[in-house]
Amino acid sequence: MRPIVVLGAGSWGTALAIQFARGGGPTVLWGREEDDPALLARERRNERYLPGAEFPASLAIEPDLAKAVGSGEDIVLVVPSSVLRIVLKQIQPMLGNRARIAWASKGFELATGKLPHQVAGEVFGPSVPIAVLSGPTFAREVGLGLPTAIAVASNDDVFALSLAERISSGGFRAYTQPDIIGVEIGGAIKNVIAIATGVSDGLGYGSNSRVFLITRGLAEMVRLGIALGAKRETLMGLAGLGDLVLTCTDDQSRNRRFGRALAAGKPVDQAIAEIGQVVEGYHAAKAVHAVAAKHGVDMPICGHVYRVLHEGVPIKLVETMLQREITPEN
C-alpha cells in the first residue's frame, strides 16, 4: 500500500494526516519550512497548530516536497484556496502517471471566481481523478479522535471510495458522493455566514438572530449552488448545512471569532492579526459577492459582509435584513 500524501501542515492538514494514519495505513505529511518539519518529526505532534494530538506510528514527516509527492499515488492538498493553483502547478511535474488529486481547500479562487475543481481541471485536464473532502469538522476535535463525519465527492467512484475507506476508522466516518460542485459551494459560503453570526452574537442580538442568519444564509447557499449546478440535497447535507451550522455556532471557528471581533469595534486588519491564522471568510466574501453578481443571485447576507469588510460600510447586518421588502420565504 502506497502512502496517502498530505500537503499542508497547518491545523487541518495535520488533523487529516493523523486521521489517515490512524487506521494504520502509511501516511506522509509535508509542511513548509516555516512549519518546522524537523520539529514535527522530532516531537511527533504539532504543538503550534494542533496541541495534544499525537502522531500515529504510520505517519511520516517529509520536508522535501518532491520526495513527499513522489512517495504516494493519492495526494491531498490542504492549503488556502488563494494558493491552490500555485501549489497544483508546483507539484504537476512531480506526479506520476497514476496520480490522483484531492483537496480540503474551501472557497472560490479570488482572481477568477472559480471553484477548486475548475482550477484543478485547468491545471491537469480531465484525465486526472479528483476529489474534495469537506464537512462539519474542527481540526482540534479530529486531532483528538472525537466522533466526526465528512463527505468525499469525486468524479471517480473508485477514488472516492478509496479515500473514504482510508480515512474512516475509529470515530471517523466518510460518505461518498459525486456532487463536487455542491460540496465545494458549501465550503465556500459557510465562512462568510459564520462572520455574520459572529457579528450578531458579538452585538448581543441573541439566539433568535443567530438562527435567522443561519437559515437565511442556507437559502443563499442553495440559490447560488443551484445556479452553479449543485444538487439541493448536497447543500442540505454534511458539506452544506452541517458545515454551516458548525462554523456559525462554535467559537472554534476562526471566522465566527473574527465576526465577534468586528462587533467589538476592532478594525479588520487588527481582528485578522489577532486570530493568528488565515481567516478564509475575509477573502471568500469578496469572491462570493463577485460570483453572485455574475450569476444574478440575490445574497443579502454575504453582500453585506462583503461591504463591511471591503468597502468599509458600518455593520448593520441584522437591521438591513429586517428592513428588506417582505417576500415569500421559499
Side-chain angles (χ1 to χ4, degrees), residues 19-167:
Q19 183 56 41
F20 273 117
R22 278 200 174 111
T27 307
V28 172
L29 175 62
W30 171 87
R32 303 163 302 169
E33 184 176 339
E34 51 263 46
D35 294 324
D36 201 347
L39 181 66
L40 301 182
R42 184 168 63 251
E43 295 191 349
R44 302 296 299 166
R45 58 184 181 275
N46 189 338
E47 283 298 314
R48 178 182 178 187
Y49 291 121
L50 207 64
E54 300 291 333
F55 291 176
S58 57
L59 175 56
I61 307 300
E62 175 53 68
D64 186 283
L65 179 60
K67 289 183 180 178
V69 171
S71 68
E73 176 182 338
D74 296 340
I75 314 296
V76 181
L77 286 83
V78 193
V79 299
S81 56
S82 58
V83 299
L84 180 63
R85 185 185 296 269
I86 295 171
V87 178
L88 289 174
K89 287 184 175 180
Q90 187 176 4
I91 68 172
Q92 185 179 26
M94 307 171 186
L95 297 172
N97 293 330
R98 297 178 57 198
R100 302 185 294 191
I101 306 296
W103 52 85
S105 307
K106 297 180 179 180
F108 293 96
E109 185 177 52
L110 186 57
T112 66
K114 292 180 178 177
L115 288 164
H117 78 276
Q118 295 172 306
V119 174
E122 289 180 353
V123 174
F124 296 114
S127 61
V128 175
I130 59 173
V132 54
L133 294 79
S134 188
T137 50
F138 284 134
R140 185 186 69 84
E141 296 185 11
V142 173
L144 294 175
L146 299 178
T148 302
I150 66 167
V152 179
S154 177
N155 62 351
D156 184 301
D157 292 343
V158 173
F159 186 27
L161 182 60
S162 174
L163 283 174
E165 289 177 342
R166 290 285 292 268
I167 202 170

Side-chain angles (χ1 to χ4, degrees), residues 106-231:
K106 297 180 179 180
F108 293 96
E109 185 177 52
L110 186 57
T112 66
K114 292 180 178 177
L115 288 164
H117 78 276
Q118 295 172 306
V119 174
E122 289 180 353
V123 174
F124 296 114
S127 61
V128 175
I130 59 173
V132 54
L133 294 79
S134 188
T137 50
F138 284 134
R140 185 186 69 84
E141 296 185 11
V142 173
L144 294 175
L146 299 178
T148 302
I150 66 167
V152 179
S154 177
N155 62 351
D156 184 301
D157 292 343
V158 173
F159 186 27
L161 182 60
S162 174
L163 283 174
E165 289 177 342
R166 290 285 292 268
I167 202 170
S168 296
S169 64
F172 197 103
R173 176 180 174 84
Y175 292 81
T176 64
Q177 64 144 293
D179 186 11
I180 294 177
I181 295 174
V183 170
E184 290 184 331
I185 288 289
I189 295 174
K190 57 99 177 187
N191 287 328
V192 184
I193 306 300
I195 294 173
T197 59
V199 167
S200 178
D201 282 352
L203 292 172
Y205 285 167
S207 300
N208 292 350
S209 176
R210 183 193 315 126
V211 174
F212 165 43
L213 292 171
I214 292 172
T215 308
R216 297 314 302 164
L218 176 62
E220 294 187 17
M221 180 186 292
V222 171
R223 283 199 295 268
L224 185 62
I226 290 176
L228 295 178
K231 296 179 180 178

